[in-house]
Structure formats: structure tokens, C-alpha cells
Amino acid sequence: MISFLRGTVAHVGLSSAVIDLNGAGMSVNATPQTLSGLRVGDEGKLFTSLIVREDSLTLFGFASDDERDVFDILLSVSGVGPRLALAVLAVHEPEAIRVAAHSGDGKAFTKVPGIGPKVAGRIVLELAGKLVPHGTAGAPASAAVSAESVWKPQVVAAMTSLGWSEKDATASIDKSLADSPDLAANGNVAEILRATLRWLGQDGARAGNRVGARG
């Protein structure tokens, strides 16, 4: 695996750069923010992630290893490829992505071109527990305490983006938490969303079915 590149910047384009490594030019795709930090003729360093396909090898470059880590985690979401993951990083800083994923803020991801409500809901669902803000890393889930008036609208929004009506989503949340008062008190959006989907007997692949269809 190529972890990083360091060499003379030979070219900077709109979506990629070329790093000269002792006479070998390596093309690297990157966000506009990362590319803006490179200057032709100067030494540049990029942390990299190599994407291997049957017909191609593509390098993606990042200004920090934190950006690369978030990029790699975004790729674990079904339907999110490297171009879309890079687009997320072009709109949001890594920490903002961690906060959005941890809090269940699907609307933050819809700000990225190419991501609609359904994909945003899937990102929030599949990244639950995988991305945690640095300020809460290693802390128990109970540390994410918020009033129902704060977490409930976020969970409802995530469920409506997955296909449920607001009425059905609200009813399902209430029923799923009836026997889990501690979970409701903790107010962790991602955990409550997962608990509600488990109560419905659903998973991410079938999340588009509405509650009413289950009778």
C-alpha cells in the first residue's frame, strides 16, 4: 500500500496533481482544498489511498492522515465510491463529518453534490459507531446526552429519508424505546436509529419499506 507521496510538485490541475518522485510522475486525485496547498516546483507531501479496480489503479491524496482515514471509512458505506467520498471531504472537514455521522445529521451530507436524502440516510445508518468526534473518542455512549426535543427530530429525519412517513417514524421510535428508557435518556441518535430499525425487523438493505406495510 502507498501510504504517502513526497516529491516535487510537477503539475496542479482542477482535480488532480502530479508528484515527481525521482523522475517518475505520480498522478493523484484530491480535493480543491488539498490541491490549493501545492505549488509547482515546490516539494509536496500527500497522504494517499490506493483504489484498485480490475482495469485501473487510482491514487487519492489528502493533506492529513485524518482526512485519509475518514475517506477510507466513507468507502465502507454501500453505494459510496471514491469520487463521492472525496466530494464529501471537499464540502466538510473530517471533524464535521464525524460529528454529522455521530449525531445522525443526514442533512449535512445532502449538502454534498450527488448525495440525496436516501444516500444521506444510508451514510448515517452505516457509519453509526464508526466515526466518533475526537472530543468524545473513547467515551461511553452515555456521554452523548441530549433532550428528546433535540435527538428525536434527528432520528425522525433519518427515518423519513429512508422512506417512512413522519407519523410512522415517530410511532416506531416511541414503541422501540418503550422497554429501553436508558437508551432514550442517553439520546445517542445513531444508537436510537439502529434500535428502532431492529425493532422493525429491518436492515439497511430493506429500510425503504414503510411501517404500514408490516401491518
Side-chain angles (χ1 to χ4, degrees):
M1 177 179 178
I2 303 175
S3 297
F4 69 87
L5 298 177
R6 177 186 284 135
T8 303
V9 179
H11 172 74
V12 178
L14 295 177
S15 60
S16 64
V18 176
I19 307 296
D20 185 343
L21 304 177
N22 297 320
M26 301 289 287
S27 179
V28 188
N29 295 280
T31 66
Q33 296 94 315
T34 296
L35 293 171
S36 68
L38 302 176
R39 296 290 181 271
V40 174
D42 290 349
E43 182 179 82
K45 178 181 179 180
L46 295 175
F47 295 88
T48 58
S49 180
L50 178 63
I51 304 300
V52 180
R53 297 286 187 262
E54 291 184 1
D55 58 349
S56 66
L57 296 174
T58 308
L59 271 176
F60 290 84
F62 310 92
S64 68
D65 54 355
D66 188 33
E67 285 187 3
R68 180 184 58 195
D69 290 345
V70 171
F71 173 83
D72 289 338
I73 293 174
L74 283 168
L75 292 180
S76 69
V77 178
S78 58
V80 175
R83 301 289 180 183
L84 196 56
L86 195 66
V88 175
L89 282 164
V91 174
H92 298 296
E93 294 289 333
E95 187 65 7
I97 297 172
R98 294 177 188 277
V99 170
H102 186 65
S103 65
D105 183 9
K107 289 184 178 180
F109 293 104
T110 62
K111 296 178 181 179
V112 179
I115 295 182
K118 288 187 177 181
V119 174
R122 191 185 310 132
I123 291 175
V124 168
L125 177 62
E126 295 189 26
L127 290 188
K130 292 183 180 180
L131 284 177
V132 179
H134 288 310
T136 58
S142 59
V145 179
S146 61
E148 180 175 322
S149 61
V150 175
W151 63 255
K152 196 167 188 177
Q154 296 183 49
V155 180
V156 170
M159 292 188 66
T160 54
S161 72
L162 291 171
W164 280 277
S165 68
E166 183 174 341
K167 178 181 179 181
D168 286 341
T170 301
S172 298
I173 294 167
D174 292 340
K175 292 177 181 178
S176 67
L177 296 182
D179 297 323
S180 305
D182 291 342
L183 186 59
N186 289 342
N188 186 293
V189 173
E191 290 190 359
I192 294 172
L193 176 60
R194 282 185 291 180
T196 303
L197 294 177
R198 282 198 300 269
W199 181 84
L200 288 167
Q202 301 283 3
D203 58 27
R206 301 171 55 198
N209 295 329
R210 295 179 179 274
V211 176
R214 298 180 57 83

